[in-house]
Amino acid sequence: MPDSIPKQRVDLEDLSLHDGAAVLLRRALAGLAAGEWCEVHGDSAELAGHLAVWCRKQGIRCERQSGVPGLFRIEAPQRPPVIFTSRTEIAETAEAHWGIAPRGARIERGGPELGFTLRRKRDVWASELNSIYSQATTNQWSATRDIAWNELPKLPDDIEGAIAQVMTFLTENEFAALYVPARFIPRIHPHYSEVVEVLAMQVVDEARHKEAFTRRAEAGGAGLGTTAVSGQLSLKTLLEEPDFTTATFLLCVMGEGTFLTLLKFLADHAPDPVTAALARLAHRDEARHVAFGVEHMRYIFERAPETRLSMAAAVESRSRMLASISGLSPYVHDALVIYAGGGVSNAHVRAGARHVADLQREMDRTRRDRLQSLGFDPGLAANMSAYHTKNFM
Ligand SMILES: [Fe+2]
Ligand SMILES: [Fe+2]
């Protein structure tokens, strides 16, 4: 039985309930167990009436202490039940009724369920999330502030046109890379907030890439080029992938992994310093996106090695959906040849075509290496790399 000797005392002096006395009363009651008493003293003339009303509204027992003017005692009520979640322990399953509360907060029971469908740690988790996020926040750059646009030279029209076409291709891929994580963010339970934060940074990065590449296409006067049906069909299969892990694998490991090689190629062969700088900065960001994809897959494969086979099947089935597409869009292929060859003479085109063939071999090699580092055997890795979309992403 809780004893009736008050465990807390509050002297309100002349502070009335209209002036905020309830704050002090709630603080005093918060330190008590249900059924324990708090003594309240006050000089305000209306205290007796106001305190009685306030206590009635809160369902709190209030007693006037006879013989002493302005002295009352109030009983600590049952507190609403709360759920405790650990700040540091990541639960294997996050409960829907935890709502949108930050991990580690006390959560009042009875809140709404918010429809987060990715509620298992193994649906979304990865190692290195804190490090990827802190690199992302540290390495943000601005297409306005960090690019020396005034150093952009006047290039021959053929080269400028090729750059603009490459930038157009990059831009549509940036859009896809933005929409895919953006679609999944609202489905991930906030208990796994580190994943949400990493993906949010990814969305910001892609928005910046889209802005920067569009700006480069326009800065040299050529303006945006053409986007091919084949490229859009390929990106559609990414945008419509309903499973988070599969989408992450296809986008971050296979697609952005391939783009790392492409961006390095674009930086190495850039006809001007502005294009080179953009490719290098985007490459740095993409390396983080790939790191997230790789770490997520590692986490999944360690717990469910058979998921490797589902990923291989996903790559193959995507390739079947894209069977009508014979190869890289000619707009992109030809632009890359002129970009890397440095012009449209026979000699330039011969050199450029060789560079682009090397690029495609290098993309295949890095995809196979990445897949093998994730535990795919060399034969399966080679097949998967061969099935990967010819439009790179
Ligand atoms: Fe990007
Ligand atoms: Fe990316």
Side-chain angles (χ1 to χ4, degrees):
M1 277 292 283
D3 72 45
S4 57
I5 299 165
K7 292 274 171 54
Q8 286 277 4
R9 278 187 176 74
V10 179
D11 191 352
L12 296 174
E13 299 173 340
D14 62 349
L15 188 71
S16 77
L17 275 136
H18 289 314
D19 298 327
V23 173
L24 300 181
L25 298 177
R26 272 192 292 268
R27 285 172 62 84
L29 291 172
L32 300 177
E36 291 183 327
W37 290 91
C38 171
E39 194 174 81
V40 180
H41 185 258
D43 311 326
S44 127
E46 314 86 14
L47 182 61
H50 288 174
L51 186 63
V53 170
W54 182 80
C55 284
R56 202 163 46 243
K57 278 192 194 156
Q58 317 289 317
I60 293 172
R61 223 151 61 138
C62 174
E63 293 175 357
R64 182 191 277 269
Q65 300 297 85
S66 57
V68 189
L71 186 64
F72 307 84
R73 62 177 204 161
I74 61 178
E75 188 188 30
Q78 282 298 344
R79 250 177 297 213
V82 291
I83 303 157
F84 294 88
T85 56
S86 163
R87 173 83 189 93
T88 49
E89 296 282 309
I90 317 291
E92 288 300 323
T93 302
E95 299 299 334
H97 61 262
W98 293 353
I100 202 158
R103 196 173 65 232
R106 291 183 299 277
I107 307 163
E108 272 189 8
R109 277 190 194 279
E113 297 194 1
L114 296 173
F116 298 110
T117 51
L118 294 168
R119 294 200 288 112
R120 291 181 311 166
K121 188 179 181 189
R122 58 148 298 179
D123 290 336
V124 294
W125 199 250
S127 312
E128 308 300 331
L129 290 167
N130 289 332
S131 133
I132 294 170
Y133 180 72
S134 84
Q135 285 176 39
T137 50
T138 309
N139 288 328
Q140 292 295 296
W141 53 278
S142 149
T144 300
R145 191 190 56 215
D146 300 317
I147 300 294
W149 294 97
N150 58 346
E151 287 173 17
L152 186 65
K154 174 78 189 128
L155 295 167
D157 287 351
D158 293 322
I159 308 267
E160 190 55 45
I163 294 172
Q165 179 57 53
V166 170
M167 294 298 132
T168 307
F169 170 72
L170 291 177
T171 300
E172 68 183 338
N173 283 278
E174 299 303 340
F175 259 144
L178 182 157
Y179 279 113
V180 171
R183 277 178 61 220
F184 286 103
I185 287 173
R187 304 190 201 168
I188 300 174
H189 195 293
H191 187 75
Y192 307 115
S193 60
E194 286 87 342
V195 180
V196 174
E197 287 153 13
V198 163
L199 294 180
M201 293 311 292
Q202 205 160 314
V203 169
V204 172
D205 290 340
E206 307 303 10
R208 184 176 52 247
H209 298 171
K210 186 258 156 198
E211 178 214 347
F213 293 143
T214 305
R215 198 158 157 181
R216 173 61 192 91
E218 288 168 345
L224 287 166
T226 308
T227 84
V229 169
S230 61
Q232 301 230 19
L233 283 173
S234 173
L235 294 175
K236 182 172 186 281
T237 58
L238 262 188
L239 289 166
E240 292 179 348
E241 172 53 55
D243 175 68
F244 177 72
T245 293
T246 308
T248 301
F249 181 74
L250 294 175
L251 174 71
C252 301
V253 178
M254 299 299 284
E256 292 177 318
T258 302
F259 260 62
L260 279 183
T261 313
L262 175 63
L263 289 164
K264 181 174 184 314
F265 174 91
L266 294 175
D268 291 348
H269 294 281
D272 65 88
V274 169
T275 308
L278 291 174
R280 268 196 298 272
L281 287 166
H283 183 281
R284 190 174 69 185
D285 296 337
E286 292 306 330
R288 287 193 306 271
H289 308 169
V290 174
F292 168 70
V294 166
E295 292 300 336
H296 174 61
M297 298 321 300
R298 229 188 273 290
Y299 187 84
I300 300 292
F301 293 157
E302 275 165 15
R303 283 150 188 84
E306 70 282 2
T307 315
R308 285 191 186 87
L309 295 178
S310 336
M311 295 303 114
V315 171
E316 196 183 329
S317 112
R318 185 174 179 215
S319 150
R320 269 201 308 276
M321 280 192 261
L322 298 172
S324 59
I325 299 169
S326 51
L328 177 60
S329 130
Y331 300 116
V332 181
H333 174 270
D334 298 358
L336 287 172
V337 167
I338 297 166
Y339 181 108
V344 291
S345 73
N346 291 357
H348 285 131
V349 167
R350 191 194 314 279
R354 215 169 28 235
H355 290 313
V356 172
D358 288 345
L359 166 68
Q360 285 167 310
R361 269 191 295 276
E362 180 62 5
M363 286 171 163
D364 175 55
R365 188 189 67 75
T366 53
R367 274 197 300 269
R368 284 186 285 117
D369 283 356
R370 195 166 286 115
L371 289 169
Q372 287 186 50
S373 80
L374 282 170
F376 289 88
D377 73 57
L380 185 53
N383 274 342
M384 291 168 74
S385 179
Y387 277 130
H388 181 62
T389 169
K390 302 295 172 278
N391 282 295
F392 303 157
M393 185 59 91

